[in-house]
Amino acid sequence: MVSFDRFTLANGLRVIVHQDNATPMAVVNILYDVGARDEDPSKTGFAHLFEHLMFGGSVNIPHFDGPSQAAGAQNNAFTSNDITNYYITLPAANLETAFWLESDRMLSLAFSEKSLEVQRNVVCEEFKQRYLNQPYGDVWLRLRPMAYQVHPYRWATIGKELTHIEEAKMDDVKEFFATYYTPSNACLVVAGNVETSQVKALAEKWFGDIPAGRKPLRELPPEPEQLAARREVVYADVPQNSIYIAFHSPARNDAGYYAVDLITDLLSQGPSSRLYRRLVKENELFSEVNAYQMGSLDPGLVVVEGKPLPNVSIDRAEQAIWEQLEQLCASPVEPYELEKVKNKIESTMVFAEMAILEKAMNLAYFELLGDADRFNHETERYLAVTAADILQQAQTLFRKENSSTLIYLSNVDAQ
């Protein structure tokens, strides 16, 4: 169990404190309730751009990394379609430095044309290198808009297209910041060798005077049920053919999420999993095959992907994947097989409760889901899943009409 205290400042900033005296370190983690799904469809990639801009300096601290490094801190951030998360790990004795840094950029981010130009170029270069100029890099630029027709999950975190970032204007940037980077839209978690009274005093000192802002009202269009299979075949400069099949799956807070998560583990968690054992090891059809759930806050995707061996036709490879999925839909999973993946989940959760950074990020995330204490009960939810639950979710998921298939065919093979 991860113990914690919770309080809320007058401006709406939620603060969670986890005390762990076994370490000399502390983590300050701040989660903003904004991701790529909150972007204007004509101005995508802004959430990710802001992750970069937040390290470009504030009015009072022009170089974020300078005082951070002087305090012995390590800092980083990540953006998803649902959230943006920043964290600083540093010696607990220097805790106030982290409060100073995070509060100043929440209140006084420096909006300079130079900073915008620098970070815009960095993000554009990332877009080109990671998504446009490497094999399979554009998977999500193709698969998302195939699977999603309406919901903003139809674009990737990097953005829908490069021009959206290239043409980002200062007024657009300021508006995005004013809307989402406010105390009322954030959750601050402090973990490590700290005390609640100390954290409360620092939170009031450094964040208490920041204007609350208005919690944005999120009204996203729900994705309609998919009624027919979708498919795209791409000839590309890739080293080998590849298959990606996406299925619409439950949202993170839906009861079925846990059974679906276990399904992906049954399919591809380790060398004894079904897809690896049967398609890689026994029948030697694939060089690699995986299944995973996106874990999105809104209804998400389960993706099954694999790279067939050179001597295996794409049709045979795709058929082999469907055969395995249909077997999972045909009869309840054996008790020993379900127990194996549950044990793996249980050990994973134990490790998640060891590192203070992991604990801080999880407490923030589960607070966003509704209650930080849910983190302490995740294992129970997985252990409660039955073979009947697995069968029901598999039969709901793995239907042709619920599938979006992306095929990469190597140009070498096409010649």
Side-chain angles (χ1 to χ4, degrees):
M1 297 287 285
V2 178
S3 60
F4 63 89
D5 294 318
R6 181 200 284 121
F7 60 90
T8 304
L9 301 185
N11 59 13
L13 180 67
R14 287 170 288 171
V15 184
I16 292 172
V17 186
H18 166 66
Q19 184 172 347
D20 181 354
N21 294 333
T23 175
M25 305 298 288
V27 171
V28 172
N29 186 95
I30 187 160
L31 182 151
Y32 289 94
D33 185 9
V34 58
R37 65 175 175 163
D38 298 302
E39 296 163 345
D40 183 319
S42 65
K43 300 172 184 176
T44 63
F46 270 54
H48 179 245
L49 175 62
F50 250 93
E51 176 198 321
H52 287 261
L53 283 171
M54 288 285 276
F55 290 97
S58 58
V59 171
N60 302 305
I61 309 168
H63 303 290
F64 185 89
D65 283 340
S68 174
Q69 291 170 0
Q74 292 183 324
N75 62 79
N76 213 328
F78 62 87
T79 311
S80 73
N81 286 76
D82 296 314
I83 65 171
T84 308
N85 192 86
Y86 301 84
Y87 57 89
I88 301 176
T89 303
L90 76 175
N94 296 333
L95 180 64
E96 189 162 7
T97 299
F99 274 81
W100 170 53
L101 290 168
E102 287 294 357
S103 66
D104 199 64
R105 63 180 177 177
M106 179 190 281
L107 176 65
S108 310
L109 188 66
F111 291 105
S112 71
E113 288 290 352
K114 180 180 179 182
S115 176
L116 177 57
E117 180 67 18
V118 168
Q119 299 306 330
R120 188 166 46 202
N121 289 339
V122 169
V123 174
C124 286
E125 193 59 31
E126 180 183 347
F127 197 117
K128 293 172 186 174
Q129 290 196 4
R130 291 183 57 192
Y131 295 84
L132 301 182
N133 298 333
Q134 73 171 6
Y136 318 108
D138 60 350
V139 165
W140 294 109
L141 302 183
R142 294 179 179 276
L143 193 55
R144 280 186 177 276
M146 195 191 330
Y148 291 101
Q149 309 287 292
V150 175
H151 192 281
Y153 283 162
R154 66 185 183 274
W155 57 82
T157 307
I158 194 70
K160 192 189 298 186
E161 54 189 76
L162 188 57
T163 56
H164 289 185
I165 298 301
E166 290 176 332
E167 297 171 2
K169 301 293 190 296
M170 182 60 73
D171 287 345
D172 298 330
V173 168
K174 287 182 176 179
E175 181 183 359
F176 192 87
F177 180 80
T179 301
Y180 297 106
Y181 280 74
T182 62
S184 62
N185 202 47
C187 176
L188 175 69
V189 178
V190 183
N193 200 340
V194 300
E195 294 183 0
T196 300
S197 58
Q198 170 197 18
V199 173
K200 188 173 289 188
L202 289 172
E204 290 286 1
K205 176 180 177 180
W206 290 104
F207 288 93
D209 292 336
I210 299 177
R214 181 179 296 177
K215 177 73 175 173
L217 180 62
R218 183 178 282 122
E219 294 181 320
L220 304 180
E223 183 67 22
E225 182 183 0
Q226 184 174 335
L227 301 176
R230 299 166 187 161
R231 187 178 187 84
E232 181 182 3
V233 178
V234 179
Y235 289 93
D237 292 324
V238 293
Q240 63 188 108
N241 298 339
S242 190
I243 302 172
Y244 300 81
I245 311 175
F247 303 89
H248 290 280
S249 62
R252 185 62 181 79
N253 273 331
D254 289 350
Y257 171 86
Y258 298 94
V260 171
D261 210 28
L262 290 176
I263 284 173
T264 61
D265 284 355
L266 285 164
L267 288 172
S268 73
Q269 178 67 257
S272 63
S273 61
R274 292 190 176 199
L275 293 181
Y276 183 87
R277 189 173 76 250
R278 295 169 184 172
L279 303 187
V280 176
K281 203 171 179 181
E282 294 175 3
N283 295 319
E284 297 182 344
L285 297 173
F286 285 79
S287 60
E288 59 181 90
V289 62
N290 294 289
Y292 50 89
Q293 180 171 218
M294 301 298 290
S296 307
L297 294 184
D298 292 333
L301 297 174
V302 163
V303 179
V304 180
E305 62 178 61
K307 292 181 171 58
L309 290 169
N311 62 327
V312 179
S313 73
I314 204 73
D315 290 341
R316 175 67 187 105
E318 188 177 358
Q319 178 189 358
I321 289 176
W322 276 102
E323 287 170 358
Q324 294 306 312
L325 301 182
E326 288 163 0
Q327 284 185 23
L328 193 60
C329 297
S331 59
V333 63
E334 293 291 338
Y336 79 89
E337 201 176 5
L338 182 55
E339 187 67 23
K340 179 192 68 176
V341 292
K342 285 183 177 182
N343 289 341
K344 181 66 175 177
I345 286 284
E346 199 164 11
S347 64
T348 300
M349 292 301 295
V350 168
F351 281 114
E353 294 180 8
M354 293 176 67
I356 56 170
L357 177 56
E358 290 287 326
K359 287 188 281 189
M361 289 195 293
N362 275 303
L363 288 170
Y365 182 69
F366 280 93
E367 182 70 8
L368 178 68
L369 291 180
D371 182 2
D373 190 50
R374 276 186 52 181
F375 177 46
N376 289 319
H377 303 283
E378 277 295 274
T379 302
E380 299 165 24
R381 290 181 168 87
Y382 283 105
L383 296 181
V385 173
T386 65
D389 296 330
I390 297 287
L391 183 63
Q392 179 193 352
Q393 288 299 327
Q395 291 171 344
T396 302
L397 276 175
F398 300 131
R399 296 173 292 114
K400 291 286 176 71
E401 63 269 24
N402 189 42
S403 68
S404 296
T405 303
L406 175 62
I407 304 287
Y408 280 90
L409 295 179
S410 172
N411 278 330
V412 175
D413 294 342
Q415 294 171 355

